[in-house]
Amino acid sequence: ESKSPGEPRELWVGTWGGGVSRRDAHGWRTFGQSDGLPSDQIFCLLEVGSGSSRQIWAGTEKGVAIFEGGRWRPLMEAGPFVDARIRALAATASPARVWIGTHDRGLWAWDGRLHPPEEIGLGEVGIRSLWGDQDKEGGTMLVVGTGQGLSIFEKGSWTRIWREQGFPLSPAKAVLHVPLPPSRRVFWIGTEGK
């Protein structure tokens, strides 16, 4: 649900085979490939920015699309995302980046240019879920659910909590953050398996 201050409320829904639907004060509108989406199979949605710079990002079966100005456009016309399954999206403010989790090509970042997994340090991993925010010092914190367990980026380095490090089950399919006072973080992790 989009809840940008001073803007009408909207509900965005990604479907598997039916594109993206938006509900606003005028009712429902569905967007598909004829509206610029690279695929009608949607894995995830993300709201980035607000006001005139507001965008809706969609992770699809065939790359990333961005909704702005009433139309969808691909993030890139060519390159690594043209046919990539985008399983998860998250945004961080410091630095301002959109994090892109792929099914089998690792974790990428976008800040006006594309940062590949080799720069980020989480390549060759299938991303299943993603959460991003600032850590206590104002830097980037990421919690990434992968096919092997969890990977956490905090204070400039990665910590892997996979089965070998005691993670109960893999893959980690969903990450939910619950903020608790004072400045405590609790994460609930949904897994696939027994």
Side-chain angles (χ1 to χ4, degrees):
E1 181 178 24
S2 170
K3 297 183 280 190
S4 297
E7 294 181 17
R9 292 178 81 127
E10 296 177 335
L11 177 66
W12 291 82
V13 180
T15 69
W16 192 252
V20 175
S21 293
R22 177 189 67 198
R23 183 169 190 255
D24 60 17
H26 305 289
W28 286 98
R29 163 114 194 255
T30 298
F31 302 91
Q33 288 180 279
S34 63
D35 300 295
L37 283 171
S39 170
D40 288 332
Q41 283 106 6
I42 311 300
F43 282 107
C44 54
L45 296 170
L46 175 68
E47 181 181 27
V48 177
S50 62
S52 62
S53 65
R54 178 175 168 262
Q55 300 174 329
I56 303 295
W57 288 52
T60 81
E61 180 75 10
K62 294 182 179 177
V64 176
I66 301 171
F67 184 81
E68 61 184 345
R71 182 139 177 91
W72 290 95
R73 65 171 175 82
L75 174 63
M76 301 178 76
E77 296 288 341
F81 294 134
V82 172
D83 64 347
R85 284 192 209 159
I86 309 301
R87 298 290 296 262
L89 295 166
T92 57
S94 179
R97 286 185 171 172
V98 174
W99 300 88
I100 304 164
T102 67
H103 176 74
D104 59 2
R105 298 178 193 176
L107 182 66
W108 299 68
W110 178 264
D111 61 3
R113 82 171 183 89
L114 191 61
H115 299 268
E118 296 76 30
E119 279 183 40
I120 296 164
L122 198 60
E124 303 302 318
V125 175
I127 309 298
R128 302 297 182 261
S129 55
L130 186 53
W131 176 88
D133 201 357
Q134 289 183 310
D135 63 20
K136 293 177 183 177
E137 287 78 36
T140 296
M141 179 179 183
L142 297 171
V143 178
V144 183
T146 73
Q148 292 79 23
L150 282 180
S151 292
I152 300 171
F153 183 80
E154 191 172 23
K155 298 179 183 170
S157 65
W158 286 100
T159 301
R160 288 177 171 79
I161 307 171
W162 293 356
R163 188 170 290 226
E164 296 80 23
Q165 287 79 30
F167 190 75
L169 296 171
S170 60
K173 301 277 284 187
V175 176
L176 172 67
H177 171 249
V178 180
L180 296 173
S183 302
R184 289 181 49 216
R185 296 182 187 274
V186 173
F187 291 94
W188 290 85
I189 312 299
T191 63
E192 178 182 305
K194 298 178 183 179

